[in-house]
Amino acid sequence: MFTTSKRNAKFEFVRVIAMVLVLFYYITKAFPLNDGLNHSGLVFSVFSVFYKLAAPLFLLLCGRFALNLDFSNKSLKEFYFKKMVYILIPMLFFMTFQYFLDFTDNINDFNFFSFLPFLTAAYNNLHYWFMYDALFYILSAPILSLAFKDISDRGVISFVSIGLIYSICYFYIPLIPEAGFSYSNQFGKLIFYFFLGGVSDRFTNIIGKKKLYIAGAVSFIVVVLQTRILESYTERYDASPFYVIFTLALYIFLTSLYKEGNKYTDKTLLFLGKYSFYVCMIQGILMKRIVDYGILPTDNFWLFVSEGTAIVLVASVVLSVLIDTIIFRFLRICLYHLFSVYNNIK
């Protein structure tokens, strides 16, 4: 028998914000004149702090749930089966779908030996770039959660401190001429967000929300200044320890901001949160076509970004629901049945 976990609207609120920020980020990069990414003024410095929040927020959420699961009464086979059904298979489906749609002229041109490296390497530079990292973190949760289960308050503080020290080294050491510190390793900077999500509630309770919010506000100012002073480092500011603190404070603030109780908003958030993964997977396919079709105003960066985000969001949600209903739901039923038969045979 499969167990289900009740989803919480306040966390789905953060998930939906992260989903919208994914679209916001990629529609910004799709602006044809690209001058929306080259402004050096204060407005763009503030804007740039927010438009890369999506992956850190998603990983904080993943860590918060994955590292706090109680696996003592949970089947590991069921856990890994669900991750295969709900994450791995859809991920590979959308990757394959985009490969045939955007990278082959004819289905007869398919070559497995070029397709396989494409899935494992070429997508690192597209919107699936962090999926393999995130998938590894999630699949490691049954083992990693044991380390977080009985950690003391002092252990939580020590862990967060070590992570921030690592972030300091990761971000600032490469500023020294001819020095480096895991400069190109995405794993190095993203994994801390996942682990931080696992201890986020306890860390907040230990230091208090007020202190965290103050630290987050100060960190926000520092990050804005960094984007103005270290212009060549703008694309790496999410590795900054100050960005980590700001993101954590914002995450806690958002989960505290939303109050459950309105059945309409709760249902809307639960609905959008349910399809957020599919939306993030499919948005690149739709965005390319919407931008190429020329329906967005290319003479105004802000209109282009806002209208593009709204259009891609609606189209991605609709297509996600259709694909889930037509393909994934049937596939889940078949796989669940096979899994149940396998368990009964065992």
Side-chain angles (χ1 to χ4, degrees):
M1 184 73 179
F2 285 96
T3 58
T4 57
S5 57
K6 181 175 172 59
R7 288 157 61 226
N8 191 313
K10 72 175 184 178
F11 293 111
E12 296 306 296
F13 175 61
V14 180
R15 195 185 308 277
V16 170
I17 289 176
M19 173 185 71
V20 173
L21 285 172
V22 168
L23 309 183
F24 195 62
Y25 174 77
Y26 284 105
I27 198 69
T28 297
K29 295 179 77 67
F31 188 57
L33 300 180
N34 205 35
D35 65 357
L37 294 175
N38 293 327
H39 297 309
S40 58
L42 180 62
V43 173
F44 176 69
S45 295
V46 173
F47 164 77
S48 65
V49 172
F50 287 94
Y51 95 127
K52 287 188 71 175
L53 275 169
L57 286 177
F58 271 128
L59 287 170
L60 282 169
L61 281 171
C62 287
R64 195 269 176 194
F65 290 104
L67 295 176
N68 288 288
L69 284 174
D70 182 6
F71 288 94
S72 58
N73 297 315
K74 190 177 183 67
S75 166
L76 287 180
K77 286 191 298 183
E78 177 186 331
F79 173 79
Y80 286 117
F81 175 77
K82 282 186 173 182
K83 300 311 170 191
M84 178 189 73
V85 171
Y86 287 98
I87 299 178
L88 182 60
I89 290 177
M91 183 180 84
L92 294 176
F93 172 85
F94 287 119
M95 285 180 170
T96 304
F97 184 45
Q98 185 162 7
Y99 173 79
F100 282 108
L101 206 59
D102 292 339
F103 295 91
T104 57
D105 296 326
N106 191 303
I107 194 170
N108 295 324
D109 296 334
F110 174 77
N111 185 312
F112 178 78
F113 294 103
S114 64
F115 173 64
L116 183 60
F118 177 81
L119 289 185
T120 57
Y123 265 119
N124 286 343
N125 296 319
L126 295 179
H127 57 281
Y128 303 121
W129 61 270
F130 74 98
M131 280 308 305
Y132 284 111
D133 282 355
L135 185 61
F136 172 77
Y137 308 155
I138 293 169
L139 296 181
S140 302
I143 297 94
L144 297 175
S145 64
L146 298 175
F148 286 81
K149 185 177 180 181
D150 299 316
I151 189 172
S152 65
D153 287 353
R154 181 176 295 181
V156 170
I157 296 296
S158 298
F159 175 78
V160 175
S161 300
I162 291 170
L164 290 175
I165 291 171
Y166 180 90
S167 296
I168 291 171
C169 296
Y170 183 90
F171 185 79
Y172 292 106
I173 287 180
L175 290 172
I176 302 171
E178 299 184 12
F181 189 88
S182 300
Y183 183 89
S184 62
N185 188 357
Q186 297 288 354
F187 179 86
K189 70 174 182 179
L190 286 179
I191 191 171
F192 184 48
Y193 285 107
F194 179 77
F195 285 134
L196 191 58
V199 298
S200 57
D201 291 342
R202 290 191 57 189
F203 180 73
T204 304
N205 290 334
I206 293 168
I207 69 168
K209 285 185 180 180
K210 184 177 180 180
K211 290 182 180 178
L212 180 60
Y213 291 160
I214 292 173
V218 172
S219 296
F220 171 76
I221 294 171
V222 173
V223 173
V224 171
L225 292 175
Q226 283 181 168
T227 63
R228 294 179 63 78
I229 298 170
L230 306 173
E231 291 184 7
S232 62
Y233 257 51
T234 300
E235 287 300 313
R236 296 192 65 239
Y237 57 75
D238 51 346
S240 162
F242 295 103
Y243 196 81
V244 173
I245 296 170
F246 163 68
T247 304
L248 176 62
L250 180 64
Y251 163 77
I252 295 297
F253 173 74
L254 290 174
T255 58
S256 303
L257 178 66
Y258 184 78
K259 305 299 181 184
E260 295 178 283
N262 186 308
K263 65 178 182 179
Y264 297 108
T265 55
D266 286 355
K267 285 183 177 180
T268 300
L269 289 172
L270 291 172
F271 171 79
L272 292 174
K274 175 183 177 181
Y275 291 102
S276 60
F277 177 58
Y278 295 170
V279 168
C280 292
M281 292 292 97
I282 205 169
Q283 54 85 19
I285 299 172
L286 294 173
M287 190 174 298
K288 181 179 184 300
R289 281 147 185 82
I290 290 171
V291 171
D292 290 347
Y293 193 68
I295 62 174
L296 300 178
T298 57
D299 58 339
N300 187 302
F301 171 75
W302 300 107
L303 280 178
F304 179 91
V305 169
S306 56
E307 290 183 16
T309 300
I311 293 171
V312 174
L313 174 61
V314 172
S316 297
V317 170
V318 171
L319 190 55
S320 295
V321 172
L322 289 173
I323 291 175
D324 184 61
T325 303
I326 297 171
I327 299 175
F328 291 142
R329 187 172 296 175
F330 173 75
L331 185 60
R332 285 196 298 270
I333 292 172
C334 294
L335 291 173
Y336 270 53
H337 177 72
L338 291 174
F339 187 80
S340 298
V341 171
Y342 171 78
N343 281 338
N344 290 333
I345 294 174
K346 293 283 286 186

